[in-house]
Amino acid sequence: ESVSINTPQPTDVSGRITEQDAKQIALDHAGISESETDRLRVKLDYDDGVQEYEVTFYVGNREYDYDIDASTGTIRSFDSEIEDDYNIASAPSATRAATSSSSGAAITEAEAKQIALDHAGVSESETERMRVKLGRDDGVQEYEVNFYVGNREYDYDINAATGAIRSYDSEIDDDYVSSTEAAGAAVSEDEARATVVARVSGASASDVRLYLERDDGRLVYEGELIYNGTEYEFQIDATTGDVLDWESESVRD
């Protein structure tokens, strides 16, 4: 699934869209004008055999990165994050103004989820594998929101105190497993959860978060369990039920 955009048709003799087209696709998706940006760069390159434009720019201290298919204009991936080391004093006045944001009370998990959905322009009913996790990064408490729309994965880090989007990215996941494929897995989700809780005494199956993925052509369950101050991450073979990977670490402050 691709990001919905007004895709220009190839306009040069090579059959690809122009550099200007690629730049405008990224700006339109970000919802900003070129006059608001700083350090705008466009580069034609290859990734996994696909010719693409890499478009990078700043708005205030927020960096945006886009990979755009040079043949179709499809946004193959994009991400954005706040760059703490950005020299805001050298930026245009319009971009300096863009760095200011209002702060509010601590937000809830549901509010963090809605912030991500609103930014992505989708409703929760369109998503699969919605996960929201409260964590900490560089001393900042944040919600990590992850979900799929078709085979496109979205990841957001949202400040738990202000609701500001600290970073986000989206890309097409070639290893995505559809609901139809998942229904045919030899090992069910309930059986995979039972395998996990059997290793963590006292934990409940309802606390286990997992999803079916394809890894080197093999169907596996990947997921996590947070229990009693410890986070467990695992990978379970969806055909045999064998535990392929198991890691744990303390999540206490």
Side-chain angles (χ1 to χ4, degrees):
E1 181 175 322
S2 60
V3 173
S4 178
I5 55 174
N6 293 322
T7 305
Q9 296 302 309
T11 55
D12 68 9
V13 294
S14 68
R16 61 175 177 255
I17 65 172
T18 66
E19 181 176 300
Q20 179 63 35
D21 290 331
K23 178 173 66 177
Q24 197 58 52
I25 288 168
L27 292 171
D28 289 345
H29 183 267
I32 58 177
S33 64
E34 186 172 354
S35 63
E36 297 176 83
T37 70
D38 187 31
R39 305 185 192 176
L40 177 59
R41 294 179 299 164
V42 184
K43 175 185 176 184
L44 186 62
D45 205 350
Y46 279 90
D47 181 55
D48 292 334
V50 177
Q51 194 172 36
E52 64 181 22
Y53 286 102
E54 299 174 358
V55 184
T56 304
F57 55 86
Y58 283 83
V59 178
N61 64 341
R62 179 173 288 278
E63 182 181 12
Y64 294 80
D65 291 289
Y66 285 83
D67 292 333
I68 298 173
D69 191 303
S71 296
T72 67
T74 298
I75 297 175
R76 301 187 68 217
S77 68
F78 64 87
D79 65 73
S80 173
E81 64 181 347
I82 293 173
E83 176 59 72
D84 293 327
D85 294 331
Y86 178 78
N87 184 6
I88 193 65
S90 66
S93 58
T95 62
R96 289 201 301 270
T99 62
S100 61
S101 61
S102 59
S103 61
I107 64 171
T108 65
E109 181 176 303
E111 289 171 331
K113 179 173 65 177
Q114 196 59 51
I115 288 169
L117 290 170
D118 289 345
H119 184 271
V122 298
S123 64
E124 187 170 1
S125 62
E126 297 176 81
T127 71
E128 287 189 279
R129 305 182 187 175
M130 172 67 75
R131 295 184 296 164
V132 184
K133 173 185 172 185
L134 185 61
R136 191 175 295 275
D137 182 57
D138 292 334
V140 177
Q141 195 171 37
E142 64 180 20
Y143 286 102
E144 299 171 8
V145 184
N146 174 269
F147 56 87
Y148 281 82
V149 178
N151 67 338
R152 180 171 286 277
E153 182 180 14
Y154 293 81
D155 288 289
Y156 285 84
D157 292 333
I158 298 174
N159 190 304
T162 68
I165 297 174
R166 302 188 68 214
S167 68
Y168 66 87
D169 66 74
S170 172
E171 63 181 346
I172 293 173
D173 183 359
D174 293 327
D175 292 329
Y176 175 80
V177 178
S178 68
S179 299
T180 302
E181 290 177 290
V187 176
S188 69
E189 288 192 5
D190 287 344
E191 290 171 328
R193 288 190 173 90
T195 297
V196 174
V197 298
R199 288 181 165 229
V200 184
S201 178
S204 169
S206 61
D207 296 325
V208 179
R209 296 185 178 184
L210 54 76
Y211 56 92
L212 192 62
E213 191 79 318
R214 187 177 287 104
D215 184 29
D216 292 333
R218 174 170 54 185
L219 290 180
V220 298
Y221 286 105
E222 294 189 356
E224 64 183 12
L225 165 65
I226 299 177
Y227 178 72
N228 199 25
T230 300
E231 179 179 19
Y232 303 89
E233 295 183 347
F234 57 84
Q235 186 181 80
I236 297 173
D237 192 306
T239 301
T240 66
D242 294 337
V243 177
L244 304 175
D245 188 43
W246 184 271
E247 298 179 5
S248 64
E249 65 175 345
S250 173
V251 293
R252 297 184 186 276
D253 292 334

